[in-house]
Amino acid sequence: VTAIAPLAFSSMKSSVYSNLLFADDRYISENLLVTVSLPDTVKTIGKFAFAQNHSLKEINIPQGVELISAECFFNCDSLTNIYLPESVTQIHDMAFKWCEKLESIEMKGVQKIGNHVFDFCRKLSHIGYSEKLKEVGSGSFSDCNLTGTLDLSSLEKIGADAFGSTKITKVILNDNLEKLEYGVFQGCTSLEEINFPSKLVSIGECCFRDTGLYEAVFNEGLKEIGALAFDSCNELYILELPESIEKIGNFAFENTL
């Protein structure tokens, strides 16, 4: 077996499985799938392959698999820990969305994370990644239980609302990052400290809305701050804007200064 087809085991009604050796295209409701061990020959896992398997607690993904397809484990709300081998370089949209019991994931080989991949994984507190990670899509870690310092210095692109409503306290950004999208850190009420990249040109709408930042000192080169970007930052006491600023959006610092 080299591929797991789309929808192959989505909501599959079955007994406990291990050493799973085949897949088909059927969609069967009310699954009882608990444990899955994929053979080393598998290279591809299709869209929705294990989606909504509410009893699935453990899966072994072998070295050689290169990507986790869209919604592959969507709403598998009994999964608690995931280990992705270093051969996995991409995770596609919503692959683990609504995995509400997921607490940790190791993904040291991943270079790109799609949109809403871990959205609403409210217990996810550990993400093991490396400097290989270059891109994180929109809403990827929104509403996760991330805390402490988040080192994003390898990232070249961060999507809208990527880390919204998490519990992080400090962020380290890539100094070459030129743009921060809409709501990237919106609702991170514990976020107190961040380095604003020296190459930063644009800060999107609501980017830091309702955060705990106490200082915002920008380098020359920043041209635009979007609407509501720093709205309700009640702890912000130090603000230094460069001469390069060309546009500040509506209510950018509303309820702040």
Side-chain angles (χ1 to χ4, degrees), residues 187-199:
C188 296
T189 56
S190 297
L191 178 59
E192 298 178 344
E193 183 179 353
I194 190 169
N195 66 304
F196 291 100
S198 61
K199 301 291 180 64

Side-chain angles (χ1 to χ4, degrees), residues 58-73:
E58 182 179 351
I59 184 164
N60 171 51
I61 299 172
Q63 179 73 20
V65 173
E66 296 178 354
L67 67 86
I68 305 299
S69 297
E71 300 184 67
C72 188
F73 298 98

Side-chain angles (χ1 to χ4, degrees), residues 236-253:
L236 187 62
Y237 295 108
I238 300 174
L239 175 65
E240 294 183 15
L241 298 175
E243 293 182 4
S244 57
I245 280 285
E246 298 175 357
K247 181 180 179 181
I248 298 177
N250 293 336
F251 311 110
F253 296 95

Side-chain angles (χ1 to χ4, degrees), residues 206-219:
C206 303
C207 190
F208 295 97
R209 188 179 192 182
D210 195 21
T211 62
L213 289 176
Y214 55 82
E215 180 179 270
V217 178
F218 305 106
N219 295 294

Side-chain angles (χ1 to χ4, degrees), residues 70-81:
E71 300 184 67
C72 188
F73 298 98
F74 177 84
N75 201 19
C76 290
D77 49 10
S78 291
L79 285 173
T80 56
N81 301 286

